[in-house]
C-alpha cells in the first residue's frame, strides 16, 4: 500500500479507491490483454475518462512521480495511458511544474510523418511511462521500447492500479523504477 504525501492527496487517493471499488471492479470470467484469465477486471478507463476521477488521478499521479528527477514528459501506449498523461499534464501546469504529454502508438503510422510517438518531443529527454493497470508490464515495456528507439530516456513506469502479477519485476528488470498509486490490498482484491 502506498500513501500519498499529504493528507489532502491521501483523501483524493481514498476517494479514488472508493470509486474504483464501486464502479470499476467487475467480477466474472475475463481475459486480460496479457492473455491471462481473471475472475475480476479493473476497468480504469471507466474512471480515467470520468470528470469525477480524472482531476484526482492527475494529482495522485503527479504526487507519485514527484521524486523522479529531471522528467519532462509523461505518456504511454495508447489508449490506456492517454487520459492519464493528459490529467498529469493539466495538473502539472496548474501546480507550476509543467510536464508535457506524449502518446505511443502500437505501430508507427503508415502515412504522414510515420511517427509512432505523438506529442512532446522525447529525444534526449527523461520521461515516465504511465498506465492505468498492469498485469505483466508488457504494454508499458512496449512503450519503453518505442521511446528508447526515439532516443528518449524512460526512467520509470507509474501505474494507477498494480495487479501484483509480475509487472513490477518485468519493469525493474529493464532498469526502470516501478511506482504504483493503488494496489490490490487497497481494493480488497487478491492477486490472480
Amino acid at each position: 500500500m502506498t500513501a500519498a504525501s499529504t493528507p489532502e492527496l491521501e483523501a483524493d487517493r481514498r476517494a479514488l479507491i472508493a470509486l474504483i471499488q464501486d464502479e470499476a471492479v467487475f467480477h466474472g470470467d475475463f481475459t486480460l490483454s496479457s492473455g491471462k484469465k481473471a475472475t475480476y477486471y479493473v476497468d480504469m478507463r471507466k474512471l480515467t475518462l470520468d470528470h469525477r476521477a480524472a482531476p484526482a488521478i492527475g494529482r495522485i499521479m503527479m504526487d507519485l512521480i514527484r521524486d523522479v528527477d529531471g522528467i519532462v514528459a509523461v505518456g504511454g501506449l495508447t489508449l490506456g495511458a492517454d487520459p492519464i498523461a493528459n490529467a498529469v499534464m493539466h495538473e502539472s501546469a496548474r501546480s507550476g511544474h509543467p510536464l508535457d504529454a506524449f502518446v505511443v502508438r502500437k505501430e508507427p503510422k503508415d502515412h504522414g510523418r510515420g511517427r509512432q510517438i505523438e506529442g512532446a518531443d522525447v529525444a534526449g529527454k527523461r520521461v515516465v511511462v504511465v498506465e492505468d493497470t498492469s498485469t505483466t508490464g508488457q504494454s508499458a515495456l512496449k512503450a519503453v521500447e518505442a521511446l528508447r528507439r526515439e532516443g528518449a530516456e524512460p526512467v520509470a513506469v507509474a501505474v494507477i492500479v498494480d495487479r501484483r502479477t509480475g509487472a513490477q519485476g518485468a519493469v525493474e528488470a529493464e532498469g526502470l523504477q516501478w511506482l504504483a498509486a493503488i494496489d490490490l490490498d487497497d481494493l480488497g482484491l487478491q492477486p490472480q
Side-chain angles (χ1 to χ4, degrees):
M1 180 166 42
T2 302
S5 67
T6 69
E8 296 81 12
L9 287 167
E10 183 58 19
D12 275 347
R13 196 175 83 81
R14 289 281 159 204
L16 181 59
I17 289 168
L19 270 175
I20 294 169
Q21 289 171 319
D22 292 346
E23 299 185 25
V25 176
F26 297 88
H27 295 275
D29 293 318
F30 299 97
T31 302
L32 305 175
S33 63
S34 64
K36 291 185 176 188
K37 301 292 184 186
T39 59
Y40 63 82
Y41 182 72
V42 181
D43 185 0
M44 285 304 299
R45 287 180 191 98
K46 187 164 177 31
L47 294 176
T48 60
L49 295 165
D50 186 297
H51 72 279
R52 297 168 300 160
I57 288 169
R59 292 187 296 272
I60 291 163
M61 296 303 279
M62 274 293 296
D63 186 52
L64 189 64
I65 65 175
R66 74 185 180 283
D67 294 330
V68 181
D69 205 29
I71 58 169
V72 298
V74 298
L77 200 61
T78 199
L79 172 76
D82 301 348
I84 302 164
N86 282 321
V88 170
M89 178 183 64
H90 288 287
E91 176 59 23
S92 72
R94 188 200 66 72
S95 68
H97 300 95
L99 297 173
D100 288 322
F102 58 85
V103 173
V104 180
R105 295 174 185 274
K106 291 181 174 136
E107 299 295 331
K109 282 177 28 176
D110 62 0
H111 60 282
R113 294 174 54 203
R115 297 175 54 94
Q116 186 170 6
I117 300 171
E118 300 289 353
D121 176 18
V122 296
K125 312 260 175 64
R126 291 172 60 87
V127 300
V128 170
V129 171
V130 295
E131 199 168 46
D132 52 5
T133 63
S134 194
T135 304
T136 63
Q138 293 311 300
S139 292
L141 292 176
K142 185 171 183 171
V144 165
E145 181 182 318
L147 287 159
R148 287 177 173 162
R149 276 196 309 269
E150 290 294 318
E153 183 186 349
V155 294
V157 172
V159 299
I160 299 172
V161 177
D162 179 3
R163 292 182 56 91
R164 291 193 351 225
T165 52
Q168 179 176 354
V171 165
E172 289 175 344
E174 286 294 318
L176 302 162
Q177 184 178 1
W178 173 262
L179 301 164
I182 296 167
D183 67 20
L184 296 183
D185 290 340
D186 293 318
L187 298 174
L189 299 170
Q190 295 298 313
Q192 305 186 72

